[in-house]
Amino acid sequence: MHTPSQIRARGRHLHAALDQVIEQRGWSTPKRRAHQWRTLRSLVQHAHAHIPLYQKLFAEAGFTPAMLVDWDDLSKLPILTKPDLRTATRTDLIAKDNQSDIRWLASSGSTGIPASMARTEESLWHYMACNTALYYDWCHGKPLSNGLYLVDMSRDSIDFATADLLRTTVPDSRILSAQDPVAKLTRELLSISPEFISSYPSTLRAIALDLRAQNRVVSQTRLIHLTSEMLDAHTRHLLGQIFPNARLIETYTSTEGGLVAWQCVHGSRWHIAETNVLCEIVDEHGLPTTGLGHIVITDLTNTATPILRYRGLGDLARWEPEPCPCGSTARSIRHLEGRSAAMLYSHAGTLISPYVVINAIEDVPGLAQYQIVQKQPGMLEVRVVADADASRNRVEKGVQNALDAALAGAADLQITFVSRIAAPPGSHKVPLVISELPLAA
């Protein structure tokens, strides 16, 4: 618990961060672009002078800050990878004479490779302020007072850090651990009957399955915020059944980049948080592409462990070139089209997007939960949890027919019925698609 004076001090931090976020929202495109360039140059110079990890990467690439003259030079800056972070020591990741208040965090490891980094308290307040401003947008300026937050409470997670900051405005009783047993989370949710819920797709999916088994719906919930994971159409449909009056809103966040993008309320596109991050979509050679490519981010808010041209999020997307009906001038991406760690391989060795199998399987009747696992090219294990009242034969035939049609012979199937699909040890997330094949370079 925090003392009243601590809460007041935290309130001042939040208000200062909100003032900055609100001001930045009014910036023109040229002003945002100038901010990105100015901040990028400053971070690169800081990294070159003080951060051992970047001193090593820059030297190996033959890069110096003087080479960054204009935007065309961005590709000269070496790509930062998840293994770069994972293998670095703490002394590699932070300036020796760092004077900022920092927190050491670890990514959730959703790509299978967790990594550590340091964030300044200031960057965390900015992250919280951005999410608070979005929340007010979703509520049309009239926040819902009855809220519930189900978050990863691992002490080195960014959500644990922000949950601590969230206590400035939210009672402890409304912040629960996503790692708690599903039955407990379901009981708490039914007891509170929240108007607003913020959590992860896999956590709310598990709760929704529990509620469906009890023939319960939660009609009081009006808004659900989902983040950190891919929301598949099957889970979206399930949440719509259990929370029939709730609008679903997503944000794209990460430990390394903070708030990267948010879903536009007018459609499926995602607006880039351009005052927070510099976002690129690049091909396998690190060069810009207008097609499907790897998301690369530079965090503009954190100086503790600078994140410069980071490809470790593992997400694939493409730019949305058309103007948005909402009037925002921020650049947009179409929905995330997969994770490089979850890309599948055909018999011939060609890539299969995870969305091919997800979109095919989502409407199979009687399917409660599923997971696709690839251990060798051209072979997919489909782990299936059937509804209690469903015919296994019909579910198996439905899955087989749906995936046969989608894959057109590109891969063979092994369908396995299981009683439950659990999150990996140390994680609250249940991945829909897992590739156990070595990642491409």
Side-chain angles (χ1 to χ4, degrees):
M1 296 291 292
H2 299 293
T3 66
S5 62
Q6 288 175 321
I7 292 174
R8 285 193 296 271
R10 284 165 166 252
R12 289 192 292 271
H13 281 295
L14 177 58
H15 289 145
L18 274 170
D19 287 344
Q20 182 183 50
V21 168
I22 292 168
E23 178 195 348
Q24 291 175 343
R25 282 178 155 211
W27 285 356
S28 64
T29 298
K31 189 166 185 177
R32 282 200 309 271
R33 199 65 169 158
H35 166 74
Q36 289 180 324
W37 179 252
R38 183 172 59 250
T39 308
L40 172 66
R41 287 290 306 273
S42 176
L43 286 169
V44 167
Q45 291 166 356
H46 171 65
H48 181 263
H50 300 290
I51 309 297
L53 170 63
Y54 284 102
Q55 290 170 343
K56 176 177 177 289
L57 293 177
F58 290 176
E60 290 174 348
F63 174 83
T64 66
M67 298 168 65
L68 199 60
V69 177
D70 57 37
W71 285 112
D72 291 337
D73 298 321
L74 187 57
S75 60
K76 297 176 182 177
L77 189 63
I79 293 284
L80 178 68
T81 68
K82 178 83 79 169
D84 290 332
L85 285 182
R86 188 170 67 96
T87 58
T89 65
R90 286 194 173 188
T91 54
D92 292 332
L93 294 171
I94 195 168
K96 184 177 181 179
D97 58 349
N98 177 76
Q99 299 296 315
S100 301
D101 291 330
I102 65 167
R103 294 201 192 199
W104 284 98
L105 305 176
S107 69
S108 62
S110 54
T111 61
I113 310 173
S116 296
M117 60 169 293
R119 273 198 167 276
T120 63
E121 288 279 342
E122 183 180 7
S123 75
L124 290 170
W125 281 115
H126 185 87
Y127 174 60
M128 183 177 172
C130 288
N131 283 285
T132 300
L134 286 174
Y135 172 66
Y136 271 75
D137 290 344
W138 303 330
C139 298
H140 307 292
K142 298 178 180 178
L144 304 172
S145 59
N146 186 9
L148 179 63
Y149 298 80
L150 309 174
V151 302
D152 178 4
M153 296 299 280
S154 305
R155 295 193 68 84
D156 59 357
S157 78
I158 190 171
D159 289 339
F160 176 84
T162 51
D164 184 35
L165 305 184
L166 192 63
R167 291 184 175 94
T168 305
T169 55
V170 177
D172 283 357
S173 60
R174 298 308 179 93
I175 304 173
L176 304 180
S177 172
Q179 288 95 334
D180 282 348
V182 173
K184 176 182 178 182
L185 295 178
T186 302
R187 286 196 304 271
E188 293 286 351
L189 190 149
L190 290 173
S191 173
I192 293 171
S193 297
E195 295 177 281
F196 169 68
I197 302 172
S198 180
S199 192
Y200 317 106
S202 60
T203 300
L204 278 187
R205 178 189 178 87
I207 292 171
L209 288 171
D210 191 21
L211 289 168
R212 188 170 71 176
Q214 300 178 41
N215 293 316
R216 304 287 294 268
V217 297
V218 182
S219 58
Q220 297 91 337
T221 303
R222 295 162 53 191
L223 179 65
I224 294 176
H225 166 232
L226 299 162
T227 192
S228 295
E229 305 166 14
M230 182 172 63
L231 174 63
D232 63 293
H234 190 270
T235 300
R236 181 182 289 276
H237 177 69
L238 173 64
L239 296 181
Q241 291 178 318
I242 303 303
F243 303 95
N245 299 319
R247 182 161 55 104
L248 305 185
I249 292 289
E250 297 179 79
T251 56
Y252 178 25
T253 64
S254 70
T255 300
E256 301 93 337
L259 176 66
V260 177
W262 69 91
Q263 182 187 10
C264 180
V265 296
H266 292 275
S268 61
R269 73 170 66 201
W270 297 65
H271 292 302
I272 302 298
E274 292 190 306
T275 55
N276 298 359
V277 296
L278 174 63
C279 182
E280 306 169 66
I281 298 179
V282 304
D283 61 18
E284 294 297 330
H285 305 290
L287 299 175
T289 178
T290 55
L292 182 65
H294 301 271
I295 290 181
V296 170
I297 59 163
T298 295
D299 184 355
L300 304 175
T301 70
N302 180 40
T303 57
T305 299
I307 298 297
L308 304 174
R309 297 203 78 210
Y310 182 63
R311 182 172 147 172
L313 298 183
D315 292 312
L316 302 169
R318 67 184 79 225
W319 291 113
E320 174 54 74
E322 298 299 321
C324 185
C326 78
S328 173
T329 58
R331 297 188 79 183
S332 301
I333 57 173
R334 299 178 188 177
H335 63 80
L336 300 177
E337 298 189 36
R339 310 212 73 169
S340 57
M343 294 300 282
L344 304 170
Y345 285 84
S346 69
H347 288 296
T350 56
L351 288 174
I352 304 171
S353 168
Y355 278 93
V356 170
V357 292
I358 289 171
N359 291 338
I361 202 173
E362 64 193 21
D363 291 326
V364 173
L367 188 65
Q369 193 178 10
Y370 65 91
Q371 187 176 66
I372 312 292
V373 181
Q374 181 165 57
K375 297 181 180 180
Q376 63 186 54
M379 173 61 72
L380 302 180
E381 179 188 356
V382 187
R383 299 171 182 169
V384 173
V385 178
D387 285 336
D389 58 351
S391 162
R392 283 196 171 192
N393 288 336
R394 290 183 181 177
V395 173
E396 182 174 9
K397 186 175 180 180
V399 170
Q400 184 80 50
N401 291 342
L403 291 181
D404 281 347
L407 293 168
D412 297 326
L413 304 175
Q414 176 187 336
I415 300 173
T416 305
F417 283 88
V418 296
S419 60
R420 177 172 173 264
I421 299 173
S427 176
H428 63 274
K429 300 179 181 180
V430 181
L432 295 174
V433 178
I434 299 173
S435 174
E436 296 183 357
L437 301 177
L439 283 175

